[in-house]
């Protein structure tokens, strides 16, 4: 390998190589990404490898009821919905009606519409109406980063003891830890971390990720 390869090219190649062995051809997922791009959605869904990782986590935990904050075109939603058994539900919250329309198409095309409840509106409002408390097994938080701490606190209310809460985009190519740097995205992650510090109701760790979506990370928490 050339020593001048950029890290992203190296990470992309690594994802591509591993995916070629571990991820099946997936026309429904390909169609979802294509339709999302054609309708102008930003290219910020989780990567295929990350989507499958979320899918495997849901299966490992035996989760049946999943909360997602931030649907976009439903790419991660489809990975989550595929992991839950018949009778399970993914509740997914999305602000943007256009994103929600595209997601509805993609979710339906993937054959998982019966497992997904998409709620359109500001997640800060939608999430407060969900319940009862402790009625979800798993939460994936991936919307506006300013809302991270609020979504995390509501996810703690909604996820039962022993359940899982994952937060996307907590490293942002190292910018979160670069205290000279500030924007609303990284500040939202810092606020989340400060809120979790000393919180006796969760145990959490961050696992950094690299791949075709660059260098970022998942915060992984267990609701005690
Ligand atoms: N989970 C998706 C990606 C989500 S991108 C995937 O991996 O496939 C973030 C999404 O959060 C965008 O669609 C954006 O419109 C939505 N969003 C931003 N602010 C929001 C808010 N206040 N409430 C709900 N959704 C919001
Ligand atoms: C952004 C948001 C995401 O959820 C993501 O995975 C990547 C980027 C963003 O707003 O820039
Ligand atoms: Mg994300």
């Amino acid at each position: 390998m050339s020593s001048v390869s950029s890290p992203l090219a190296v990470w992309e190649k690594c994802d591509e190589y591993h995916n070629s062995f571990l991820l099946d051809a997936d026309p429904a997922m390909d169609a979802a990404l294509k339709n999302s791009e054609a309708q102008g959605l930003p290219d910020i869904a989780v990567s295929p490898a990350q989507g499958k990782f979320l899918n495997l986590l849901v299966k490992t935990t035996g989760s049946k009821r999943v909360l997602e904050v931030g649907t976009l075109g439903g790419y991660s939603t489809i990975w989550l919905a595929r992991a839950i058994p018949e009778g399970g539900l993914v509740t997914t919250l999305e602000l943007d009606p256009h994103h929600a329309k595209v997601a509805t198409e993609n979710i339906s095309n993937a054959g998982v519409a019966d497992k997904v409840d998409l709620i359109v509106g500001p997640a800060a409002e939608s999430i407060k109406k969900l319940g009862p408390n402790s009625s979800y097994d798993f939460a994936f938080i991936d919307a506006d980063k300013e809302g991270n701490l609020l979504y995390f606190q509501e996810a703690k209310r909604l996820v039962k003891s022993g359940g899982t809460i994952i937060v996307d985009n907590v490293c942002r190519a190292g910018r979160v830890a670069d205290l000279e740097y500030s924007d609303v995205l990284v500040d939202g992650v810092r606020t989340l971390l400060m809120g979790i510090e000393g919180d006796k109701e969760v145990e959490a760790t961050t696992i950094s990720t690299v791949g075709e979506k660059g260098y970022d990370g998942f915060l992984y928490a267990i609701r005690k």
Side-chain angles (χ1 to χ4, degrees):
M1 189 184 298
S2 156
S3 60
V4 296
S5 300
S6 75
L8 185 58
V10 174
W11 302 335
E12 276 173 340
K13 197 164 177 179
C14 184
D15 260 4
E16 195 182 296
Y17 182 72
H18 280 262
N19 292 350
S20 74
F21 294 97
L22 304 177
L23 270 67
D24 295 331
D26 202 332
M29 286 296 185
D30 294 346
L33 292 179
K34 203 171 157 199
N35 186 38
S36 298
E37 190 188 354
Q39 300 205 49
L41 272 53
D43 182 24
I44 56 171
V46 293
S47 70
Q50 290 171 339
K52 185 162 181 185
F53 182 70
L54 294 172
N55 175 284
L56 295 180
L57 279 179
V58 167
K59 287 175 179 161
T60 302
T61 53
S63 298
K64 296 181 177 63
R65 287 177 53 85
V66 174
L67 169 65
E68 177 177 65
V69 189
T71 317
L72 190 64
Y75 184 78
S76 53
T77 318
I78 297 168
W79 277 112
L80 294 166
R82 282 179 175 177
I84 59 175
E86 272 321 300
L89 183 70
V90 179
T91 304
T92 185
L93 312 181
E94 174 55 50
L95 174 66
D96 186 314
H98 179 60
H99 294 183
K101 184 206 88 140
V102 175
T104 302
E105 292 167 8
N106 292 338
I107 289 162
S108 169
N109 181 55
V112 292
D114 58 330
K115 289 177 172 177
V116 177
D117 186 11
L118 197 169
I119 302 172
V120 185
E125 288 174 25
S126 314
I127 202 167
K128 291 205 172 122
K129 295 180 193 147
L130 296 178
N133 294 354
S134 310
S135 58
Y136 287 83
D137 305 296
F138 190 102
F140 177 53
I141 297 172
D142 187 22
D144 60 296
K145 311 312 174 192
E146 302 96 298
N148 267 342
L149 182 58
L150 174 78
Y151 305 147
F152 190 84
Q153 285 164 342
E154 286 295 310
K156 267 176 50 184
R157 176 180 70 77
L158 289 164
V159 168
K160 70 185 187 197
S161 175
T164 310
I165 305 171
I166 310 275
V167 186
D168 195 23
N169 310 118
V170 296
C171 293
R172 312 285 309 186
R175 288 193 293 277
V176 168
D178 174 3
L179 299 184
E180 318 255 285
Y181 181 88
S182 174
D183 68 25
V184 288
L185 301 176
V186 302
D187 290 348
V189 179
R190 290 177 189 147
T191 303
L192 172 69
L193 291 170
M194 290 186 272
I196 295 177
E197 183 179 27
D199 183 339
K200 300 279 184 276
E201 295 177 340
V202 289
E203 287 184 273
T205 193
T206 288
I207 199 79
S208 301
T209 57
V210 296
E212 61 189 74
K213 299 281 169 158
Y215 162 29
D216 217 316
F218 286 132
L219 185 138
Y220 182 110
I222 293 183
R223 177 70 166 104
K224 290 214 269 184

